[in-house]
């Protein structure tokens, strides 16, 4: 009792402190001591809930900010659809799609894809392309090289970069990574003789090119000499070339056409709008040494409708072009300058339109200089025996004259390898 009196006195003396309920165990039972009374009561009466923290205390769960992108992508693990009744239904994706998404997110860390199944590789490429992994500066190039090394022309068999010189300048290394291309259109890109991409054309990786369109690229005889040096001497490079377009290059002269005679498999050639001096002599030379006939009608092979971008990376090239166009958008503020020029009576100078007009004028002046192989052009027509015999006689005469011409020019061919040619060959 004395102990209980002391306890009650202590509670009365410190009643201003909110210490909460106090539990006391006595004779194997638990009792609670109320602050307002000096007696001990059992636990059965309702007590005030005990608070571990004060009312103003709050807890906030924070996560690493770097994982926000990963957490957002985790929502792609489910497929959301609607039932006939209009209710939302979601189902989990397959394990294959989840693994495919994870690998496509880390496609730049792949060591090699050689021997990997083509069907799955195409899906992996599409998944990485949808995430725009190939548009990234460094990792995109590394990932694209892994695919081109393993699958070659499946990634891209035909590439059309007509009038896309900005894409070439921004994605040159990516374009050089494509292998086993059969068609390449570089028309109206103003590359010039010293461009790195033209030097890449002579590499072994592009020896499969059969259609090469280099219209309006500011090429000269020096550029053709560099481009044909491996074919003329080493029998490598563009030895499988079938269609070649060199039109609208005024700096190409009769000397440059002589370098093209090394393309023995050539079936179509366009040299309209070049700076030829003796057109008739060039026509006879092409007909005698390559067997191409001058066409009086424009050929369909040079209307630029057959060359399109085809392959897995078709959308990738479009993404590159879209990124380049978005980078040019800040230049829209130049309209105010043009408006000011019009206000003061000045006109804006458009160099491209003037150049196109000059090229068209030069092309009309020189005439249509397109060539084709007569066998390919007339193979679908029924020939009589007399006509066939006459063609054979003509071909025999051409072959005899061609052999004589080769015998005459055999010494000249040895002399054509100047010091500059050997310097070029040493670079390959």
């Amino acid at each position: 009792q004395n102990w209980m009196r002391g306890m009650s006195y202590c509670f009365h003396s410190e009643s201003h402190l909110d210490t909460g309920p106090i539990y006391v165990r006595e004779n194997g039972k638990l009792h609670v001591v109320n602050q307002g009374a000096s007696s001990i009561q059992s636990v059965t009466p309702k007590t005030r809930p005990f608070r571990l923290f004060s009312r103003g205390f709050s807890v906030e769960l924070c996560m690493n900010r770097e994982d926000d992108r990963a957490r957002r992508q985790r929502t792609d693990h489910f497929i959301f659809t609607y039932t006939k009744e209009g209710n939302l239904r979601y189902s989990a994706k397959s394990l294959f799609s989840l693994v495919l998404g994870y690998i496509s997110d880390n496609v730049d860390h792949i060591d090699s894809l050689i021997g990997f199944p083509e069907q799955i590789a195409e899906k992996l490429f599409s998944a990485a392309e949808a995430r725009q992994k190939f548009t990234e500066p460094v990792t995109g190039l590394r990932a694209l090289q892994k695919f081109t090394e393993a699958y070659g022309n499946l990634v891209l068999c035909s590439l059309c970069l007509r009038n896309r010189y900005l894409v070439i300048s921004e994605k040159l290394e990516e374009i050089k990574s494509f292998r086993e291309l059969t068609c390449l259109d570089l028309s109206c890109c103003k590359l010039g003789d010293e461009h790195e991409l033209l030097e890449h054309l002579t590499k072994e990786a592009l020896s499969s090119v059969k259609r090469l369109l280099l219209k309006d690229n500011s090429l000269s005889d020096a550029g053709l000499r560099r481009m044909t040096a491996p074919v003329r001497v080493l029998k490598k490079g563009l030895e499988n070339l079938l269609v070649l377009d060199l039109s609208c290059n005024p700096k190409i002269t009769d000397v440059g056409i002589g370098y093209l005679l090394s393309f023995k498999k050539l079936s179509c050639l366009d040299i309209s709008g070049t700076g030829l001096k003796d057109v008739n002599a060039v026509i006879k030379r092409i007909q005698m040494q390559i067997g191409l006939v001058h066409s009086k009608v424009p050929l369909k092979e040079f209307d630029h409708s057959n060359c399109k971008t085809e392959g897995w990376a078709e959308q990738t090239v479009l993404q590159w072009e879209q990124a380049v166009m978005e980078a040019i958008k800040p230049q829209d503020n130049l309209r105010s300058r043009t408006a000011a020029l019009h206000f003061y009576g000045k006109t804006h100078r458009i160099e491209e339109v003037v150049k196109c007009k000059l090229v068209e004028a030069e092309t009309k002046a020189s005439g249509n200089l397109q060539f084709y192989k007569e066998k390919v052009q007339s193979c679908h027509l029924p020939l009589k025996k007399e006509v066939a015999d006459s063609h054979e006689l003509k071909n025999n005469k051409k072959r005899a004259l061609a052999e004589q011409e080769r015998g005459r020019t055999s010494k000249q061919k040895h002399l054509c390898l100047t010091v500059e040619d050997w310097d070029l060959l040493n670079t390959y």
Side-chain angles (χ1 to χ4, degrees), residues 83-337:
T83 59
K84 295 181 180 180
E85 294 79 9
N87 299 325
L88 182 63
R89 180 180 63 185
Y90 68 93
S91 58
K93 289 185 177 181
S94 62
L95 180 61
F96 174 77
S97 60
L98 295 178
V99 173
L100 194 68
Y102 177 78
I103 297 176
S104 60
D105 289 332
N106 302 275
V107 68
D108 55 303
H109 297 288
I110 296 177
D111 293 333
S112 177
L113 289 170
I114 298 176
F116 199 69
E118 298 175 358
Q119 295 81 0
I120 303 178
E122 184 178 1
K123 295 181 180 179
L124 179 61
F125 189 93
S126 301
E129 188 179 53
R131 290 166 169 78
Q132 297 187 354
K133 301 296 292 184
F134 301 113
T135 59
E136 298 176 359
V138 180
T139 58
L141 174 60
R142 189 186 304 116
L144 188 63
Q145 288 175 348
K146 300 301 180 183
F147 282 95
T148 54
E149 290 174 359
Y151 305 103
N153 60 353
L154 292 178
V155 179
L156 209 64
C157 62
S158 178
L159 178 59
C160 180
L161 295 174
R162 183 171 59 250
N163 201 19
R164 298 181 181 180
Y165 52 91
L166 292 177
V167 178
I168 295 175
S169 61
E170 292 293 331
K171 298 293 181 180
L172 179 60
E173 296 299 327
E174 285 81 353
I175 294 171
K176 289 169 60 177
S177 65
F178 293 122
R179 298 186 175 188
E180 300 180 10
L181 290 174
T182 57
C183 181
L184 181 59
D185 190 354
L186 299 174
S187 303
C188 306
C189 289
K190 308 290 184 182
L191 299 180
D193 296 331
E194 303 294 333
H195 200 274
E196 188 176 353
L197 185 57
L198 292 179
E199 182 181 355
H200 181 66
L201 290 176
T202 60
K203 304 296 182 182
E204 187 178 357
L206 292 181
S207 61
S208 59
V209 174
K210 296 181 179 180
R211 291 173 53 87
L212 181 59
L213 307 179
L214 296 173
K215 178 181 179 180
D216 191 13
N217 268 283
S218 304
L219 297 177
S220 65
D221 297 339
L224 295 184
R225 181 172 61 86
R226 292 173 60 89
M227 190 172 63
T228 59
V231 182
R232 287 186 286 115
V233 181
L234 302 177
K235 304 300 180 182
K236 295 182 179 180
L238 299 172
E239 70 270 12
N240 296 318
L241 198 61
L242 298 177
V243 180
L244 179 60
D245 185 3
L246 294 173
S247 60
C248 303
N249 289 292
K251 294 181 181 181
I252 296 178
T253 63
D254 303 17
V255 179
I257 300 301
Y259 297 128
L260 302 178
L261 302 178
S262 58
F263 296 131
K264 301 301 180 182
K265 297 181 181 180
L266 206 61
S267 60
C268 294
L269 176 63
D270 189 1
I271 54 175
S272 306
T274 54
L276 300 180
K277 297 179 181 180
D278 193 349
V279 178
N280 294 327
V282 171
I283 293 175
K284 291 180 180 179
R285 192 177 180 185
I286 292 174
Q287 186 173 358
M288 295 295 294
Q289 297 191 16
I290 309 181
L292 299 182
V293 182
H294 182 215
S295 176
K296 298 180 181 180
V297 182
L299 301 176
K300 295 182 179 180
E301 284 79 5
F302 302 107
D303 60 357
H304 298 272
S305 62
N306 297 328
C307 186
K308 299 178 182 179
T309 303
E310 297 178 356
W312 296 352
E314 180 180 356
Q315 296 297 324
T316 302
V317 178
L318 294 178
Q319 291 176 0
W320 293 346
E321 185 179 7
Q322 184 179 1
V324 171
M325 297 303 295
E326 290 179 357
I328 301 176
K329 283 184 179 179
Q331 296 183 0
D332 292 340
N333 56 3
L334 296 177
R335 296 179 181 176
S336 59
R337 299 182 183 179

